[in-house]
Amino acid sequence: MSEPKAKARSLQEVVPGVYNWHVHDDRIDARSDAYAVADRDGAVILIDPLPIDESLLLPLGSITAIVLTAGNHQRSAWKFRKRFKVPVWAPENAHGLEEEADNIYANGDTLPGGLSALHTPGPAHSMFTLWMQQSPRGIVFISDLLTRPGHGTPEFIPSEYQDEPGRTRLSVQRVLDQLPVDTVCFAHGEPIARDGDRALRMALEQDTEGVSAPAP
């Protein structure tokens, strides 16, 4: 299976209604993060789910869907689909899925939980940023566009681990140009609860690789 061996034993609230858990991922020898979004009606959406003590999720509400930002983030999705009897949503042209998704989404689609999909290629061609407006803040789940070691400025993954590193940088700029960003949730790293737009700009400004970007 695609999931890491470690299981999370705690769950943290990033902002009201958005929850984070993480594990040390033995597959990449680094931190991996997953999220749950709970709406006011008690529906819970899992985003790029990782192994977790399920008793931590149940108080959040009724799990109704699983959404993947990329094929390489299928993780525990299939196990949770079977366990909770809910559909998995995967991006179009997602690579390497071990099972068939129940629903396929594309750029601009509205997903469960009020999430909106923005195509942000670079680390992989089929990679999406998920966005939701939760007054007064805009929340983005940016998949692998950036990581955040510790509590510092977000960083780009080394270019050798990306399909198109130049396009990754364009995708970060596209997020800033098209979405109101307050809270940033990373697939690998501590979330940023506020002033996320400033953190993304700093990542672009402090980028040391300086690869040239192709046309979007």
Side-chain angles (χ1 to χ4, degrees), residues 13-16 18 134 136-140 148 151-154 176 180-186 190-202:
E13 188 174 55
V14 181
V15 293
V18 177
Q134 184 195 75
R137 62 180 63 83
I139 302 167
V140 292
R148 191 184 182 214
H151 295 270
T153 301
L176 286 167
V181 177
D182 299 297
T183 301
V184 181
C185 298
F186 305 88
E190 188 74 20
I192 296 174
R194 61 180 62 182
D195 297 325
D197 54 345
R198 183 172 64 181
L200 297 189
R201 291 190 182 94
M202 288 180 63

Side-chain angles (χ1 to χ4, degrees), residues 76-206:
S76 302
W78 315 119
K79 181 180 71 177
F80 286 153
R81 172 168 70 173
K82 182 177 180 180
R83 166 68 177 85
F84 297 111
K85 297 180 173 57
V86 297
V88 171
W89 293 68
E92 62 179 355
N93 301 315
H95 177 71
L97 295 180
E98 295 174 355
E99 298 187 21
E100 184 175 350
D102 301 282
N103 299 285
I104 301 297
Y105 70 85
N107 185 60
D109 285 352
T110 299
L111 306 177
L115 295 163
S116 297
L118 179 68
H119 185 214
T120 48
H125 174 71
S126 183
M127 182 161 286
F128 282 74
T129 290
L130 306 179
W131 171 81
M132 61 181 292
Q133 182 64 40
Q134 184 195 75
S135 183
R137 62 180 63 83
I139 302 167
V140 292
F141 303 85
I142 64 169
S143 197
D144 288 341
L145 291 183
L146 292 160
T147 65
R148 191 184 182 214
H151 295 270
T153 301
E155 299 177 359
F156 290 97
I157 296 171
S159 295
E160 59 264 33
Y161 301 117
Q162 302 189 54
D163 287 353
E164 298 177 90
R167 185 158 287 175
T168 301
R169 287 146 176 86
L170 281 177
S171 288
V172 172
Q173 187 62 57
R174 188 179 181 209
V175 169
L176 286 167
D177 291 343
Q178 297 190 20
L179 302 175
V181 177
D182 299 297
T183 301
V184 181
C185 298
F186 305 88
H188 304 281
E190 188 74 20
I192 296 174
R194 61 180 62 182
D195 297 325
D197 54 345
R198 183 172 64 181
L200 297 189
R201 291 190 182 94
M202 288 180 63
L204 288 169
E205 292 169 0
Q206 296 179 17

